[in-house]
Amino acid sequence: CNVRAARSFPFVSKVTGVDLIEMATKAMLGLPVTPYPNRGQRLGYVGVKVPQFSFSRLQGADPILGVEMASTGEVAAFGRDKYDAYLKAMVATGFQLPEKNILLSIGSYKEKVEMLPSVQRLADSGFKLFATPGTADFIQEHGIDVTALEADTAREGYGLQEYLSNNKIDLYVNLPSKNKFRRPATYVSNGYRSRRLAIDFSVPLITNVKCAKMFIEALARFSVEKWDVESVDYVTSHRTTVLPGLVDVAALLPAADSLASASRAAICGGFTTLGVSVFGADGTAATDDRAVAAIKNASRGRALADYVVAVAATDANPAAAAALSADAPILFVSFDKRHPAHVDAYNTVSEHFKAWPPSAAVVTNAAGNDL
């Protein structure tokens, strides 16, 4: 049993929505622990974490992945499926998506066979394929169009070094063979040279067959039009509600029968919901149940947008205003003495806040010392 809390531990908690750290801490302290929930169904999203490397800062280092921890960081992303999440995570590390030219160099015959369907996917997706001579021969034998690039005695215009150093390659998939032949300590392979060229000239490089297959499949499914920020791209404890338009929480009207013209102007400005406060020249204001009912009756059938009536706070109606919160879910606290309904005393505001339901909205025009 590995009791070490790895970086994957909080990542799993974030993806599943279960605080595993809290569960583990309570278990160690002998406190009651809520059992891990049996969800009974799959989550509607996938979380993927990918490493980030700094081979460009390590001069001469061979960018081949092994069992050692060579990453200098990690990036996590969410998606509809593993391909969507993986591609987002790769882009978040700074990995540039290829646009046209992809170079392939696959060492072992086993990995050539394993990669063949992925290579076909690249060709079907419209990418221009280049490959080292051995890989190019294998790909051409299976009916896929590819251009060979030579490392040593290259024909003019077909040199591997020329293409990598002049940024003619958008992605380099290099899968070195795992041979165990003994070589002189001073031996430098063509594969190493090409990998270092890719790193030194900032060409995106993949050196693992499983990662290459995943990336290519994700790339083949990728669509710019469908790649928007969605609810699966983040996890939050807050509830997010998507509204059809903007909300004006303090639409001040001179009279209840002016709602038609006010809502028409609101719709033209992109507002689809209004919090209506009526302050008439005749002293009309929604300060009690009769006033709220009168305003609703006068407005019925006139509005072109959704609306709710706001109850106006005064020094005399903290309890009455709170009782109206179901019918008038906005408390409008005005400090403007030009309004027929306003507050003068600060202790009145405190009484309103104590009586008003915490789940209902409060809107004010307070400024300066009043605020």
Side-chain angles (χ1 to χ4, degrees), residues 1 5 14 33 75 80 106 188 210 219 271 306:
C1 177
K14 179 67 73 173
V33 180
V75 176
R80 294 292 181 188
I106 308 171
V188 178
K210 304 301 181 186
L219 192 64
F271 291 87
D306 294 332

Side-chain angles (χ1 to χ4, degrees), residues 103-109 111-113 115-116 119 129-142 144 146-149 172-175:
L103 173 61
L104 303 167
S105 178
I106 308 171
S108 69
Y109 180 78
E111 290 184 342
K112 284 184 173 70
V113 174
M115 281 290 296
L116 188 59
V119 175
L129 301 183
F130 297 84
T132 51
T135 304
D137 290 342
F138 178 83
I139 293 174
Q140 288 173 341
E141 288 173 359
H142 291 82
I144 302 174
V146 63
T147 301
L149 299 180
Y172 183 19
V173 179
N174 180 283
L175 308 178

Side-chain angles (χ1 to χ4, degrees), residues 119-311:
V119 175
Q120 185 66 62
R121 286 283 273 168
L122 289 175
D124 294 341
S125 298
F127 289 99
K128 173 68 174 177
L129 301 183
F130 297 84
T132 51
T135 304
D137 290 342
F138 178 83
I139 293 174
Q140 288 173 341
E141 288 173 359
H142 291 82
I144 302 174
D145 187 31
V146 63
T147 301
L149 299 180
E150 301 176 9
D152 295 324
T153 56
R155 293 173 293 161
E156 184 177 354
Y158 291 93
L160 184 64
Q161 180 175 349
E162 176 189 347
Y163 269 72
L164 288 174
S165 59
N166 291 307
N167 295 114
K168 295 181 179 180
I169 298 297
D170 299 326
L171 171 66
Y172 183 19
V173 179
N174 180 283
L175 308 178
S177 58
K178 301 176 179 60
N179 61 63
K180 300 180 180 179
F181 298 107
R182 297 186 65 181
R183 289 170 172 170
T186 57
Y187 177 78
V188 178
S189 67
N190 289 330
Y192 165 75
R193 289 194 184 96
S194 66
R195 288 190 294 273
R196 275 313 312 180
L197 275 174
I199 294 297
D200 295 337
F201 287 95
S202 301
V203 177
L205 174 68
I206 297 178
T207 61
N208 179 273
V209 63
K210 304 301 181 186
C211 293
K213 291 169 60 179
M214 174 74 82
F215 183 81
I216 291 171
E217 181 62 30
L219 192 64
R221 299 184 181 204
F222 171 69
S223 173
V224 177
E225 292 76 14
K226 297 181 180 179
W227 212 11
D228 295 324
V229 177
E230 301 178 284
S231 59
V232 298
D233 292 320
Y234 55 88
V235 174
T236 175
S237 59
H238 301 283
R239 184 181 65 182
T240 301
T241 302
V242 179
L243 300 174
L246 300 174
V247 177
D248 186 350
V249 295
L252 305 182
L253 305 184
D257 57 6
S258 63
L259 183 59
S261 58
S263 61
R264 183 179 295 108
I267 290 293
C268 293
F271 291 87
T272 58
T273 305
L274 305 177
V276 176
S277 298
V278 178
F279 293 100
D282 58 354
T284 304
T287 56
D288 54 32
D289 54 350
R290 288 190 300 176
V292 169
I295 292 172
K296 285 189 172 184
N297 290 332
S299 303
R300 187 171 289 113
R302 298 175 181 270
L304 302 179
D306 294 332
Y307 72 96
V308 294
V309 176
V311 59

Side-chain angles (χ1 to χ4, degrees), residues 315 317-319 322 331 345-356:
D315 292 334
N317 73 341
L331 177 66
Y346 292 124
N347 61 333
T348 301
V349 178
S350 177
E351 292 300 320
H352 273 289
F353 286 172
K354 289 179 182 178
W356 189 252

Side-chain angles (χ1 to χ4, degrees), residues 42-63:
R42 297 174 63 90
L43 297 172
Y45 56 87
V46 173
V48 172
K49 184 178 67 169
V50 302
Q52 187 170 12
F53 301 95
S54 299
F55 289 116
S56 59
R57 300 181 182 180
L58 304 175
Q59 187 176 4
D62 193 349

